[in-house]
Structure formats: C-alpha cells, structure tokens
Amino acid sequence: MASSSEHHHQQRVLNAGVLGATGTVGQRFVVLLAQNPAFRIHALGASERSAGRAYRAAAKWKMSEAMPAAVADMEVRACDPAQFGGCDVVFSGLDASVAGDVERAFFEADFAVFSNAKNYRMDPLVPLCVPVVNTDHYALLAAQRAAKGLRRGFIVTNSNCSTSGLVVPLKALQDRFGPLRRVVVTTLQAISGAGYPGVASLDILDNIVPLISGEEPKMEAEVLKILGGLRADAAGCAPLADLRVSATCNRVPVVDGHTECVSVEFAAPAPPSIDEIKQCLREYTCEAQRLGCPSAPRQAIVVTDDEDRPQPRLDRNAGGGMAVTVGRIRPCPVFHVKFTLLVHNTVLGAAGASILNAEYAARKGYIVAV
Ligand SMILES: NC(=O)C1=CN([C@@H]2O[C@H](COP(=O)(O)OP(=O)(O)OC[C@H]3O[C@@H](n4cnc5c(N)ncnc54)[C@H](OP(=O)(O)O)[C@@H]3O)[C@@H](O)[C@H]2O)C=CC1
Ligand SMILES: N[C@@H](CC(=O)OP(=O)(O)O)C(=O)O
C-alpha cells in the first residue's frame, strides 16, 4: 500500500491531536511532539474533569522539561471526534478503562489513531507495532480499512512498555540465528509505568512490589504477535506458535526506565557464540531507520561491555529514549544466553514509539490528507 507520493507526505507537517494529553504518557507526547518538526500540536483532549480548562491548569506537569509554550494556553477538549477536526493523526495516551470506546469512535470517524492502550493490541487486524521491530505489520491496514469501510481511518497500537524493550534484541537474534524456543524474563519496572499518581509512596519507597496486575500475560502474548508474521493474504496475524515466553514483573523505586533480565534458548542445537550475539545486536537495523524517520534512533540496540550497565539513571535516554541498551551478555547454564536490557518506558515504551509509528506511516503513504 506504499504510495508513490511518499516524498510529498514526508514533507508535510502533520496536525496532531493528543487524547489523554494530561497524563503521564500524554505529557511525554506533548514534550516530544513540540520538538518534532514533522508535527504541529493541533488539539489536546482529556476527561470531562479537564475539558474547558487551559492545558497549564489541567495537567499536573511532571516532565523535567518545561511545558512547551505553544500548548500552555490551549484549551483542553473533550475526547469527542467532532472536536478534533483538522487533525491528520491522533495519538492516544488514554486510560485503558475509556480507551476502547473513545479510540473506536475516532477511527470509525476516519481518524488515523496511534494508541498506547492495551484494548486493541491483540485484535488480529490491528498492527501491534514496535516501530524498530515490525513495521511490516502495517500491511494489515488495508484489510482493517476494508473491514470497517474506512478511507482515512485506522488504528495502530504500541505494545506494553516492557514488551517494547524485550522484542528489540529478540527480533535481532531471531532474524540472524533463526527461531527462538524459550525466553524467561524478569522485569524491574519504573513507577512512571503506573501513570499518575501511580503507586503510593509508602508502598514503593524502600521496597519492591512483586506484582503488576495483568502485566505478565500481556507480555507473554504480545511478544508472540510482534515477532510473528502475517497471514499470506495479510488479512490477519500469524503469531509465533513455537516460542514459549515466561514473564515475572516487579515494580521498583525508579522513576523512569524498565530493566529486564532475560534468558534465551535458540531452537538450533548449536547456539551462536557470545561474540556473535554481541555483533548481531550491534548491527541490527530497522526499516524506520533506513527511511530516515526523524525519531528513529541512530543505533537501535546499544550494546554495553561495562560490567555494571545498563542502569536506569545512566542509560534510559540512550538514542533519545528510543534505543534499547543491552549489557551483561553472557552464557546461560540453563538456556543459551542471558543479558540485561533497559528501555525508557514512556519513550520507546509509549509516546516515542507512537510518534515513530506515525512518522513511518506518513512516509509510507498510509496517512491520507484531511
Ligand atoms: N506509563 C507508561 O509507561 C505506559 C502507559 N501505557 C498506557 O497508556 C495509557 C495512559 O497511561 P498513563 O499516561 O500512564 O495514565 P495516566 O493515568 O497518567 O493518564 C490517563 C489519561 O487519561 C485521561 N482520562 C481518564 N479518564 C478519561 C475519560 N473518561 N475520558 C477522557 N480521558 C480520560 C486522563 O485525563 P484527566 O487528567 O482529565 O483525568 C489522562 O489524560 C494507558 O492505557 C496505559 O496503560 C502504555 C505503555 C507505557
Ligand atoms: N503496566 C505498565 C504500563 C502500562 O500501562 O502498560 P499497558 O499499557 O500494557 O497496560 C507498567 O506499569 O509499567
């Protein structure tokens, strides 16, 4: 479905709407979009509690960057498609309790929707897209539009934030060394992953909480969809059937950046060496980089040989938060290899991924002018 007018789409500044603009992911969208020359923030939406108020008053601003001047006095709108006319793309950082209905209203009203919420991730006609991994899943959009009778509208989702870090090195290994058989992952997830106000300080300070409700089954299922392919007619997904994933998720007292301890078994009986694995991860590239999308990291996977890295405070902003840092790559006495990775949960894990998804979609001609 790539259009011959890719160049034209690439040049046009896109009007962006942000749903859930006052929340943790929404604020990250606002910061990233304000510094991205490919987008202009056109409309901000949130709940009825915020609608009608100036953004500076409605958002409890938690970003370390200043609130962009261009949005401070914008009036927050209700999340109603009728109030988002003129938006070429709509980004959603909506709470999952409302995202299902609100996002459906937007794509059925023919908006191009890029969502962070879990509601549509496992729909077989919806690309669950980590933009440095599986942009080939955009081929589903033709069938999605046909099924809904849409001309411009569609929905593309991001993965869960922990999933987004995990699949990047797994994709590199799968592409180079063939199928994986088993993956065991233990996460150490930042507080910002729970949104605002999130976990009570008395629960998380001086503590670790060994439960993030619903997180483990989401990770286990999403990895199979993302690393899988599409049906031959591109009218549905074909998740991996032979990979088994086990996830254990913990909340730790870190503000931003999810750390994950990963063990991998390859299907091939003779596994690659540790040096071959490091080289494979260093050399990994993706289509969004090749297309020159502005938010694509120069290096998708940063491999560190420092024995005590990655660390959230030191490494979460690698590649502007769009790179995954992988360290402690060593043999595993149970599986074949184990390593520790770090992903910025609100950048590659959320808003940054949506924005790169939209840059990719624009370059490939999927975004139809209003
Ligand atoms: N935080 C992270 O690292 C990640 C989050 N996600 C997902 O992204 C989404 C947003 O998460 P997060 O930013 O952390 O959550 P927050 O709780 O911080 O923000 C939620 C947003 O949803 C809005 N909202 C709530 N109820 C309604 C409603 N009835 N109608 C319209 N808007 C409403 C809020 O507006 P108001 O201020 O007016 O209440 C706010 O803007 C969730 O689905 C989450 O699962 C995905 C990956 C990572
Ligand atoms: N649950 C994740 C963030 C999140 O909201 O994920 P999801 O969109 O899959 O519910 C965390 O707490 O770190």
Side-chain angles (χ1 to χ4, degrees), residues 19-27 29 45-51 53 58-60 76-79 92-99 102-103 115-119 121 158-162 164 190-198 215 218 251 256 258 344-351:
L19 307 175
T22 51
T24 305
V25 172
Q27 292 184 22
F29 269 125
S47 77
E48 295 295 344
R49 297 178 289 278
S50 305
R53 303 172 72 192
K60 291 191 179 71
V76 177
R77 308 176 190 196
C79 292
S92 168
L94 283 171
D95 190 84
S97 62
V98 294
V102 175
E103 291 171 2
S115 168
N116 282 274
K118 65 184 177 190
N119 308 61
R121 286 182 192 151
N158 298 353
S159 72
N160 167 273
C161 38
S162 293
S164 67
I191 308 165
S192 62
Y196 186 81
E215 195 84 343
K218 263 186 294 187
R251 184 77 68 199
D256 285 321
H258 290 355
H344 196 307
N345 54 298
T346 66
V347 185
L348 183 64

Side-chain angles (χ1 to χ4, degrees), residues 122-191:
M122 299 310 292
D123 184 318
L125 283 176
V126 174
L128 170 56
C129 193
V130 177
V132 294
V133 172
N134 63 324
T135 42
D136 54 313
H137 287 199
Y138 272 81
L140 290 169
L141 290 184
Q144 188 194 119
R145 278 177 166 156
K148 299 262 176 210
L150 301 172
R151 190 178 71 85
R152 295 179 54 239
F154 61 74
I155 180 165
V156 168
T157 65
N158 298 353
S159 72
N160 167 273
C161 38
S162 293
T163 307
S164 67
L166 178 61
V167 292
V168 184
L170 295 186
K171 170 71 170 168
L173 296 174
Q174 173 181 280
D175 283 357
R176 177 79 60 97
F177 304 115
L180 311 176
R181 181 180 292 146
R182 290 189 289 182
V183 171
V184 173
V185 55
T186 300
T187 70
L188 308 157
Q189 296 184 215
I191 308 165

Side-chain angles (χ1 to χ4, degrees), residues 15-16 42 84-89 111 370:
N15 279 334
H42 184 71
F84 281 70
C87 288
D88 298 294
V89 293
F111 286 90
V370 184

